[in-house]
PDB file of all heavy atoms in Angstrom:
ATOM      1  N   GLY A1174     -21.611 -28.279 -19.599  1.00 98.00           N
ATOM      2  CA  GLY A1174     -22.783 -28.848 -18.951  1.00 98.00           C
ATOM      3  C   GLY A1174     -23.888 -27.833 -18.745  1.00 98.00           C
ATOM      4  O   GLY A1174     -23.689 -26.619 -18.859  1.00 98.00           O
ATOM      5  N   HIS A1175     -25.063 -28.340 -18.408  1.00 98.00           N
ATOM      6  CA  HIS A1175     -26.200 -27.468 -18.148  1.00 98.00           C
ATOM      7  C   HIS A1175     -27.005 -28.016 -16.993  1.00 98.00           C
ATOM      8  O   HIS A1175     -27.387 -29.190 -16.986  1.00 98.00           O
ATOM      9  CB  HIS A1175     -27.087 -27.340 -19.388  1.00 98.00           C
ATOM     10  CG  HIS A1175     -28.251 -26.417 -19.187  1.00 98.00           C
ATOM     11  ND1 HIS A1175     -29.560 -26.825 -19.239  1.00 98.00           N
ATOM     12  CD2 HIS A1175     -28.294 -25.087 -18.899  1.00 98.00           C
ATOM     13  CE1 HIS A1175     -30.368 -25.792 -19.015  1.00 98.00           C
ATOM     14  NE2 HIS A1175     -29.621 -24.734 -18.801  1.00 98.00           N
ATOM     15  N   ASN A1176     -27.234 -27.190 -15.995  1.00 98.00           N
ATOM     16  CA  ASN A1176     -28.035 -27.551 -14.822  1.00 98.00           C
ATOM     17  C   ASN A1176     -29.193 -26.584 -14.691  1.00 98.00           C
ATOM     18  O   ASN A1176     -29.077 -25.547 -14.047  1.00 98.00           O
ATOM     19  CB  ASN A1176     -27.198 -27.506 -13.538  1.00 98.00           C
ATOM     20  CG  ASN A1176     -26.191 -28.621 -13.408  1.00 98.00           C
ATOM     21  OD1 ASN A1176     -25.360 -28.604 -12.512  1.00 98.00           O
ATOM     22  ND2 ASN A1176     -26.223 -29.591 -14.303  1.00 98.00           N
ATOM     23  N   GLU A1177     -30.313 -26.890 -15.323  1.00 98.00           N
ATOM     24  CA  GLU A1177     -31.537 -26.126 -15.082  1.00 98.00           C
ATOM     25  C   GLU A1177     -32.191 -26.681 -13.828  1.00 98.00           C
ATOM     26  O   GLU A1177     -32.423 -27.880 -13.721  1.00 98.00           O
ATOM     27  CB  GLU A1177     -32.485 -26.210 -16.269  1.00 98.00           C
ATOM     28  CG  GLU A1177     -33.845 -25.568 -16.023  1.00 98.00           C
ATOM     29  CD  GLU A1177     -33.742 -24.120 -15.566  1.00 98.00           C
ATOM     30  OE1 GLU A1177     -33.175 -23.307 -16.318  1.00 98.00           O
ATOM     31  OE2 GLU A1177     -34.222 -23.812 -14.447  1.00 98.00           O
ATOM     32  N   THR A1178     -32.480 -25.799 -12.882  1.00 98.00           N
ATOM     33  CA  THR A1178     -33.031 -26.234 -11.602  1.00 98.00           C
ATOM     34  C   THR A1178     -34.531 -26.039 -11.486  1.00 98.00           C
ATOM     35  O   THR A1178     -35.150 -26.595 -10.574  1.00 98.00           O
ATOM     36  CB  THR A1178     -32.370 -25.450 -10.449  1.00 98.00           C
ATOM     37  OG1 THR A1178     -32.784 -24.073 -10.524  1.00 98.00           O
ATOM     38  CG2 THR A1178     -30.849 -25.534 -10.532  1.00 98.00           C
ATOM     39  N   GLY A1179     -35.111 -25.238 -12.387  1.00 97.00           N
ATOM     40  CA  GLY A1179     -36.520 -24.897 -12.217  1.00 97.00           C
ATOM     41  C   GLY A1179     -36.771 -24.172 -10.906  1.00 97.00           C
ATOM     42  O   GLY A1179     -37.891 -24.146 -10.406  1.00 97.00           O
ATOM     43  N   GLY A1180     -35.717 -23.574 -10.352  1.00 97.00           N
ATOM     44  CA  GLY A1180     -35.841 -22.874  -9.080  1.00 97.00           C
ATOM     45  C   GLY A1180     -35.985 -23.791  -7.881  1.00 97.00           C
ATOM     46  O   GLY A1180     -36.229 -23.316  -6.770  1.00 97.00           O
ATOM     47  N   ALA A1181     -35.802 -25.110  -8.095  1.00 97.00           N
ATOM     48  CA  ALA A1181     -35.892 -26.072  -6.990  1.00 97.00           C
ATOM     49  C   ALA A1181     -34.520 -26.182  -6.337  1.00 97.00           C
ATOM     50  O   ALA A1181     -33.769 -27.132  -6.560  1.00 97.00           O
ATOM     51  CB  ALA A1181     -36.372 -27.425  -7.500  1.00 97.00           C
ATOM     52  N   VAL A1182     -34.214 -25.208  -5.523  1.00 98.00           N
ATOM     53  CA  VAL A1182     -32.879 -25.066  -4.952  1.00 98.00           C
ATOM     54  C   VAL A1182     -32.540 -26.227  -4.020  1.00 98.00           C
ATOM     55  O   VAL A1182     -31.407 -26.728  -4.021  1.00 98.00           O
ATOM     56  CB  VAL A1182     -32.769 -23.714  -4.213  1.00 98.00           C
ATOM     57  CG1 VAL A1182     -31.498 -23.636  -3.389  1.00 98.00           C
ATOM     58  CG2 VAL A1182     -32.827 -22.573  -5.222  1.00 98.00           C
ATOM     59  N   VAL A1183     -33.494 -26.671  -3.232  1.00 98.00           N
ATOM     60  CA  VAL A1183     -33.231 -27.760  -2.286  1.00 98.00           C
ATOM     61  C   VAL A1183     -32.821 -29.026  -3.037  1.00 98.00           C
ATOM     62  O   VAL A1183     -31.867 -29.716  -2.661  1.00 98.00           O
ATOM     63  CB  VAL A1183     -34.466 -28.018  -1.405  1.00 98.00           C
ATOM     64  CG1 VAL A1183     -34.226 -29.208  -0.481  1.00 98.00           C
ATOM     65  CG2 VAL A1183     -34.808 -26.769  -0.587  1.00 98.00           C
ATOM     66  N   ASN A1184     -33.525 -29.324  -4.114  1.00 98.00           N
ATOM     67  CA  ASN A1184     -33.203 -30.491  -4.931  1.00 98.00           C
ATOM     68  C   ASN A1184     -31.808 -30.371  -5.539  1.00 98.00           C
ATOM     69  O   ASN A1184     -31.038 -31.341  -5.578  1.00 98.00           O
ATOM     70  CB  ASN A1184     -34.253 -30.649  -6.034  1.00 98.00           C
ATOM     71  CG  ASN A1184     -33.962 -31.820  -6.956  1.00 98.00           C
ATOM     72  OD1 ASN A1184     -33.822 -32.955  -6.520  1.00 98.00           O
ATOM     73  ND2 ASN A1184     -33.873 -31.533  -8.246  1.00 98.00           N
ATOM     74  N   TYR A1185     -31.475 -29.173  -6.003  1.00 98.00           N
ATOM     75  CA  TYR A1185     -30.171 -28.968  -6.636  1.00 98.00           C
ATOM     76  C   TYR A1185     -29.039 -29.100  -5.618  1.00 98.00           C
ATOM     77  O   TYR A1185     -28.030 -29.779  -5.872  1.00 98.00           O
ATOM     78  CB  TYR A1185     -30.138 -27.598  -7.305  1.00 98.00           C
ATOM     79  CG  TYR A1185     -28.904 -27.353  -8.158  1.00 98.00           C
ATOM     80  CD1 TYR A1185     -28.344 -28.359  -8.925  1.00 98.00           C
ATOM     81  CD2 TYR A1185     -28.321 -26.088  -8.213  1.00 98.00           C
ATOM     82  CE1 TYR A1185     -27.227 -28.126  -9.723  1.00 98.00           C
ATOM     83  CE2 TYR A1185     -27.212 -25.847  -8.994  1.00 98.00           C
ATOM     84  CZ  TYR A1185     -26.666 -26.865  -9.751  1.00 98.00           C
ATOM     85  OH  TYR A1185     -25.561 -26.631 -10.531  1.00 98.00           O
ATOM     86  N   GLU A1186     -29.200 -28.476  -4.476  1.00 98.00           N
ATOM     87  CA  GLU A1186     -28.141 -28.531  -3.475  1.00 98.00           C
ATOM     88  C   GLU A1186     -27.910 -29.953  -2.969  1.00 98.00           C
ATOM     89  O   GLU A1186     -26.776 -30.331  -2.654  1.00 98.00           O
ATOM     90  CB  GLU A1186     -28.448 -27.587  -2.312  1.00 98.00           C
ATOM     91  CG  GLU A1186     -28.333 -26.117  -2.682  1.00 98.00           C
ATOM     92  CD  GLU A1186     -28.398 -25.196  -1.481  1.00 98.00           C
ATOM     93  OE1 GLU A1186     -28.709 -25.680  -0.370  1.00 98.00           O
ATOM     94  OE2 GLU A1186     -28.130 -23.987  -1.650  1.00 98.00           O
ATOM     95  N   ALA A1187     -28.967 -30.753  -2.913  1.00 98.00           N
ATOM     96  CA  ALA A1187     -28.822 -32.132  -2.452  1.00 98.00           C
ATOM     97  C   ALA A1187     -27.967 -32.963  -3.408  1.00 98.00           C
ATOM     98  O   ALA A1187     -27.319 -33.929  -2.994  1.00 98.00           O
ATOM     99  CB  ALA A1187     -30.200 -32.775  -2.291  1.00 98.00           C
ATOM    100  N   GLN A1188     -27.955 -32.575  -4.688  1.00 98.00           N
ATOM    101  CA  GLN A1188     -27.206 -33.329  -5.699  1.00 98.00           C
ATOM    102  C   GLN A1188     -25.918 -32.639  -6.138  1.00 98.00           C
ATOM    103  O   GLN A1188     -25.160 -33.185  -6.946  1.00 98.00           O
ATOM    104  CB  GLN A1188     -28.078 -33.539  -6.938  1.00 98.00           C
ATOM    105  CG  GLN A1188     -29.379 -34.258  -6.691  1.00 98.00           C
ATOM    106  CD  GLN A1188     -30.164 -34.435  -7.982  1.00 98.00           C
ATOM    107  OE1 GLN A1188     -29.678 -35.006  -8.959  1.00 98.00           O
ATOM    108  NE2 GLN A1188     -31.387 -33.928  -7.997  1.00 98.00           N
ATOM    109  N   LEU A1189     -25.681 -31.447  -5.625  1.00 98.00           N
ATOM    110  CA  LEU A1189     -24.646 -30.578  -6.180  1.00 98.00           C
ATOM    111  C   LEU A1189     -23.255 -31.217  -6.174  1.00 98.00           C
ATOM    112  O   LEU A1189     -22.563 -31.244  -7.204  1.00 98.00           O
ATOM    113  CB  LEU A1189     -24.631 -29.251  -5.415  1.00 98.00           C
ATOM    114  CG  LEU A1189     -23.694 -28.168  -5.941  1.00 98.00           C
ATOM    115  CD1 LEU A1189     -24.016 -27.818  -7.387  1.00 98.00           C
ATOM    116  CD2 LEU A1189     -23.810 -26.919  -5.063  1.00 98.00           C
ATOM    117  N   ASP A1190     -22.823 -31.707  -5.055  1.00 98.00           N
ATOM    118  CA  ASP A1190     -21.466 -32.247  -4.976  1.00 98.00           C
ATOM    119  C   ASP A1190     -21.307 -33.472  -5.872  1.00 98.00           C
ATOM    120  O   ASP A1190     -20.295 -33.606  -6.584  1.00 98.00           O
ATOM    121  CB  ASP A1190     -21.110 -32.592  -3.533  1.00 98.00           C
ATOM    122  CG  ASP A1190     -19.630 -32.904  -3.378  1.00 98.00           C
ATOM    123  OD1 ASP A1190     -18.813 -31.974  -3.519  1.00 98.00           O
ATOM    124  OD2 ASP A1190     -19.285 -34.078  -3.138  1.00 98.00           O
ATOM    125  N   ALA A1191     -22.289 -34.353  -5.859  1.00 98.00           N
ATOM    126  CA  ALA A1191     -22.220 -35.550  -6.699  1.00 98.00           C
ATOM    127  C   ALA A1191     -22.199 -35.176  -8.178  1.00 98.00           C
ATOM    128  O   ALA A1191     -21.470 -35.784  -8.983  1.00 98.00           O
ATOM    129  CB  ALA A1191     -23.400 -36.470  -6.402  1.00 98.00           C
ATOM    130  N   ALA A1192     -22.997 -34.159  -8.541  1.00 98.00           N
ATOM    131  CA  ALA A1192     -23.034 -33.734  -9.936  1.00 98.00           C
ATOM    132  C   ALA A1192     -21.695 -33.153 -10.374  1.00 98.00           C
ATOM    133  O   ALA A1192     -21.149 -33.518 -11.428  1.00 98.00           O
ATOM    134  CB  ALA A1192     -24.146 -32.706 -10.134  1.00 98.00           C
ATOM    135  N   MET A1193     -21.129 -32.264  -9.568  1.00 98.00           N
ATOM    136  CA  MET A1193     -19.855 -31.651  -9.932  1.00 98.00           C
ATOM    137  C   MET A1193     -18.727 -32.689  -9.971  1.00 98.00           C
ATOM    138  O   MET A1193     -17.829 -32.621 -10.817  1.00 98.00           O
ATOM    139  CB  MET A1193     -19.515 -30.524  -8.958  1.00 98.00           C
ATOM    140  CG  MET A1193     -20.489 -29.347  -9.010  1.00 98.00           C
ATOM    141  SD  MET A1193     -20.542 -28.538 -10.639  1.00 98.00           S
ATOM    142  CE  MET A1193     -22.024 -27.531 -10.472  1.00 98.00           C
ATOM    143  N   LYS A1194     -18.789 -33.652  -9.082  1.00 98.00           N
ATOM    144  CA  LYS A1194     -17.791 -34.724  -9.088  1.00 98.00           C
ATOM    145  C   LYS A1194     -17.890 -35.524 -10.387  1.00 98.00           C
ATOM    146  O   LYS A1194     -16.863 -35.867 -11.004  1.00 98.00           O
ATOM    147  CB  LYS A1194     -18.000 -35.635  -7.878  1.00 98.00           C
ATOM    148  CG  LYS A1194     -16.960 -36.737  -7.753  1.00 98.00           C
ATOM    149  CD  LYS A1194     -17.191 -37.561  -6.490  1.00 98.00           C
ATOM    150  CE  LYS A1194     -16.145 -38.663  -6.364  1.00 98.00           C
ATOM    151  NZ  LYS A1194     -16.351 -39.465  -5.121  1.00 98.00           N
ATOM    152  N   LEU A1195     -19.115 -35.823 -10.814  1.00 98.00           N
ATOM    153  CA  LEU A1195     -19.317 -36.544 -12.069  1.00 98.00           C
ATOM    154  C   LEU A1195     -18.777 -35.745 -13.244  1.00 98.00           C
ATOM    155  O   LEU A1195     -18.053 -36.281 -14.102  1.00 98.00           O
ATOM    156  CB  LEU A1195     -20.803 -36.839 -12.266  1.00 98.00           C
ATOM    157  CG  LEU A1195     -21.203 -37.388 -13.646  1.00 98.00           C
ATOM    158  CD1 LEU A1195     -20.570 -38.749 -13.896  1.00 98.00           C
ATOM    159  CD2 LEU A1195     -22.732 -37.467 -13.763  1.00 98.00           C
ATOM    160  N   TYR A1196     -19.121 -34.468 -13.310  1.00 98.00           N
ATOM    161  CA  TYR A1196     -18.694 -33.650 -14.441  1.00 98.00           C
ATOM    162  C   TYR A1196     -17.169 -33.559 -14.502  1.00 98.00           C
ATOM    163  O   TYR A1196     -16.566 -33.632 -15.576  1.00 98.00           O
ATOM    164  CB  TYR A1196     -19.306 -32.247 -14.357  1.00 98.00           C
ATOM    165  CG  TYR A1196     -20.808 -32.228 -14.204  1.00 98.00           C
ATOM    166  CD1 TYR A1196     -21.447 -31.167 -13.581  1.00 98.00           C
ATOM    167  CD2 TYR A1196     -21.602 -33.276 -14.671  1.00 98.00           C
ATOM    168  CE1 TYR A1196     -22.822 -31.141 -13.420  1.00 98.00           C
ATOM    169  CE2 TYR A1196     -22.980 -33.260 -14.516  1.00 98.00           C
ATOM    170  CZ  TYR A1196     -23.585 -32.192 -13.879  1.00 98.00           C
ATOM    171  OH  TYR A1196     -24.947 -32.176 -13.722  1.00 98.00           O
ATOM    172  N   GLN A1197     -16.548 -33.379 -13.357  1.00 98.00           N
ATOM    173  CA  GLN A1197     -15.091 -33.314 -13.327  1.00 98.00           C
ATOM    174  C   GLN A1197     -14.478 -34.618 -13.854  1.00 98.00           C
ATOM    175  O   GLN A1197     -13.487 -34.597 -14.587  1.00 98.00           O
ATOM    176  CB  GLN A1197     -14.595 -33.040 -11.912  1.00 98.00           C
ATOM    177  CG  GLN A1197     -13.074 -32.885 -11.809  1.00 98.00           C
ATOM    178  CD  GLN A1197     -12.614 -32.644 -10.384  1.00 98.00           C
ATOM    179  OE1 GLN A1197     -13.293 -33.005  -9.423  1.00 98.00           O
ATOM    180  NE2 GLN A1197     -11.453 -32.025 -10.232  1.00 98.00           N
ATOM    181  N   SER A1198     -15.093 -35.732 -13.514  1.00 98.00           N
ATOM    182  CA  SER A1198     -14.532 -37.024 -13.913  1.00 98.00           C
ATOM    183  C   SER A1198     -14.562 -37.241 -15.418  1.00 98.00           C
ATOM    184  O   SER A1198     -13.745 -38.000 -15.960  1.00 98.00           O
ATOM    185  CB  SER A1198     -15.293 -38.162 -13.215  1.00 98.00           C
ATOM    186  OG  SER A1198     -16.594 -38.342 -13.768  1.00 98.00           O
ATOM    187  N   VAL A1199     -15.497 -36.572 -16.118  1.00 98.00           N
ATOM    188  CA  VAL A1199     -15.577 -36.750 -17.571  1.00 98.00           C
ATOM    189  C   VAL A1199     -15.026 -35.548 -18.334  1.00 98.00           C
ATOM    190  O   VAL A1199     -15.136 -35.479 -19.558  1.00 98.00           O
ATOM    191  CB  VAL A1199     -17.032 -37.037 -18.013  1.00 98.00           C
ATOM    192  CG1 VAL A1199     -17.513 -38.359 -17.431  1.00 98.00           C
ATOM    193  CG2 VAL A1199     -17.963 -35.890 -17.634  1.00 98.00           C
ATOM    194  N   GLY A1200     -14.444 -34.583 -17.622  1.00 98.00           N
ATOM    195  CA  GLY A1200     -13.788 -33.467 -18.288  1.00 98.00           C
ATOM    196  C   GLY A1200     -14.657 -32.269 -18.581  1.00 98.00           C
ATOM    197  O   GLY A1200     -14.286 -31.418 -19.396  1.00 98.00           O
ATOM    198  N   VAL A1201     -15.813 -32.161 -17.921  1.00 98.00           N
ATOM    199  CA  VAL A1201     -16.644 -30.964 -18.065  1.00 98.00           C
ATOM    200  C   VAL A1201     -16.099 -29.897 -17.124  1.00 98.00           C
ATOM    201  O   VAL A1201     -16.097 -30.073 -15.908  1.00 98.00           O
ATOM    202  CB  VAL A1201     -18.116 -31.270 -17.722  1.00 98.00           C
ATOM    203  CG1 VAL A1201     -18.934 -29.980 -17.676  1.00 98.00           C
ATOM    204  CG2 VAL A1201     -18.710 -32.242 -18.732  1.00 98.00           C
ATOM    205  N   SER A1202     -15.632 -28.783 -17.678  1.00 97.00           N
ATOM    206  CA  SER A1202     -15.027 -27.734 -16.848  1.00 97.00           C
ATOM    207  C   SER A1202     -15.870 -26.470 -16.779  1.00 97.00           C
ATOM    208  O   SER A1202     -15.478 -25.507 -16.116  1.00 97.00           O
ATOM    209  CB  SER A1202     -13.631 -27.378 -17.371  1.00 97.00           C
ATOM    210  OG  SER A1202     -13.699 -26.910 -18.708  1.00 97.00           O
ATOM    211  N   GLU A1203     -17.026 -26.446 -17.455  1.00 98.00           N
ATOM    212  CA  GLU A1203     -17.944 -25.314 -17.388  1.00 98.00           C
ATOM    213  C   GLU A1203     -19.364 -25.842 -17.277  1.00 98.00           C
ATOM    214  O   GLU A1203     -19.722 -26.813 -17.940  1.00 98.00           O
ATOM    215  CB  GLU A1203     -17.841 -24.425 -18.627  1.00 98.00           C
ATOM    216  CG  GLU A1203     -16.505 -23.740 -18.819  1.00 98.00           C
ATOM    217  CD  GLU A1203     -16.439 -23.010 -20.153  1.00 98.00           C
ATOM    218  OE1 GLU A1203     -17.493 -22.527 -20.620  1.00 98.00           O
ATOM    219  OE2 GLU A1203     -15.347 -22.946 -20.731  1.00 98.00           O
ATOM    220  N   VAL A1204     -20.158 -25.193 -16.454  1.00 98.00           N
ATOM    221  CA  VAL A1204     -21.574 -25.544 -16.315  1.00 98.00           C
ATOM    222  C   VAL A1204     -22.401 -24.271 -16.361  1.00 98.00           C
ATOM    223  O   VAL A1204     -22.121 -23.307 -15.651  1.00 98.00           O
ATOM    224  CB  VAL A1204     -21.843 -26.300 -14.996  1.00 98.00           C
ATOM    225  CG1 VAL A1204     -23.347 -26.443 -14.752  1.00 98.00           C
ATOM    226  CG2 VAL A1204     -21.185 -27.677 -15.018  1.00 98.00           C
ATOM    227  N   LYS A1205     -23.401 -24.283 -17.199  1.00 98.00           N
ATOM    228  CA  LYS A1205     -24.391 -23.207 -17.244  1.00 98.00           C
ATOM    229  C   LYS A1205     -25.537 -23.595 -16.322  1.00 98.00           C
ATOM    230  O   LYS A1205     -26.120 -24.672 -16.460  1.00 98.00           O
ATOM    231  CB  LYS A1205     -24.895 -23.030 -18.679  1.00 98.00           C
ATOM    232  CG  LYS A1205     -26.055 -22.054 -18.834  1.00 98.00           C
ATOM    233  CD  LYS A1205     -26.490 -22.009 -20.295  1.00 98.00           C
ATOM    234  CE  LYS A1205     -27.752 -21.183 -20.491  1.00 98.00           C
ATOM    235  NZ  LYS A1205     -28.175 -21.161 -21.920  1.00 98.00           N
TER     236      LYS A1205
END
Side-chain angles (χ1 to χ4, degrees):
H1175 182 244
N1176 288 171
E1177 173 55 60
T1178 68
V1182 169
V1183 176
N1184 178 56
Y1185 188 38
E1186 290 190 351
Q1188 302 181 56
L1189 185 58
D1190 191 69
M1193 295 299 166
K1194 183 177 180 179
L1195 170 64
Y1196 307 153
Q1197 183 181 24
S1198 73
V1199 296
V1201 172
S1202 60
E1203 296 173 32
V1204 170
K1205 173 182 173 181

